[in-house]
Amino acid sequence: MVTKIEASNITNTGVVSGTYINPTIQVNEQGQVTSAVNNSGSEIFNILTGATGIVEHNYNLSAIWLHNSVAANFTANFTNVPTTNGTAISFALLINQGASAYYPNLVQIGGENQTILWTDNSTPTPLANKTELYSFLLIRNGSTWKVLGSSASFG
């Protein structure tokens, strides 16, 4: 049985990642938090500069990352991602492209290489001087990952 309670009834005795303005928190019979949902419609994002090689995107900090001055195609390593089967987790990487355009051409989850299943089975071509959004949906099922990737260009 899972009980749904409001945040006003909780005393924080540990660390909960992210910023929850109006959260709904579910607790199991043992009193352990099983999920925390931000009902405010907003989330904190983090900024990275000069991405190249393997770049860590720590889920405990955010699932949205803004990249400036990207130096080369890079591996997006998603860390601290829950490994519970039946879980889907989204990451969004915004890239402010310069005269040379780059993108996350590889994905790792906790340092383990994953295959990206791109929209329409088509690897994206990054565009110079645009703002681009690379979205990844990480699906955990049967103790394995499936990574769905898509991209969009703006400006």
Side-chain angles (χ1 to χ4, degrees):
M1 179 180 143
V2 174
T3 304
K4 188 174 181 179
I5 58 176
E6 294 299 317
S8 60
N9 298 330
I10 295 176
T11 301
N12 185 8
T13 59
V15 176
V16 176
S17 66
T19 301
Y20 297 95
I21 305 299
N22 182 23
T24 298
I25 298 175
Q26 292 184 335
V27 179
N28 66 18
E29 290 177 336
Q30 290 76 36
Q32 300 164 323
V33 174
T34 58
S35 71
V37 178
N38 183 355
N39 296 319
S40 70
S42 67
E43 184 171 335
I44 302 297
F45 66 89
N46 280 295
I47 300 172
L48 293 171
T49 302
T52 186
I54 298 173
V55 180
E56 181 180 1
H57 298 83
N58 185 336
Y59 186 67
N60 287 339
L61 300 177
S62 184
I64 302 172
W65 295 82
L66 174 63
H67 286 266
N68 294 313
S69 304
V70 176
N73 289 342
F74 62 94
T75 299
N77 183 19
F78 301 123
T79 61
N80 292 310
V81 176
T83 58
T84 306
N85 281 326
T87 302
I89 299 152
S90 295
F91 277 90
L93 308 184
L94 293 160
I95 299 179
N96 287 321
Q97 301 287 9
S100 296
Y102 303 105
Y103 76 113
N105 63 335
L106 298 170
V107 163
Q108 293 180 343
I109 300 175
E112 305 253 343
N113 289 342
Q114 305 295 320
T115 299
I116 304 170
L117 303 173
W118 290 107
T119 303
D120 295 327
N121 200 32
S122 180
T123 302
T125 301
L127 300 174
N129 302 311
K130 301 286 184 184
T131 298
E132 296 192 310
L133 170 63
Y134 291 88
S135 300
F136 297 97
L137 181 61
L138 286 51
I139 301 168
R140 180 75 173 186
N141 190 32
S143 299
T144 61
W145 290 104
K146 181 179 282 190
V147 177
L148 307 180
S150 63
S151 68
S153 197
F154 302 90

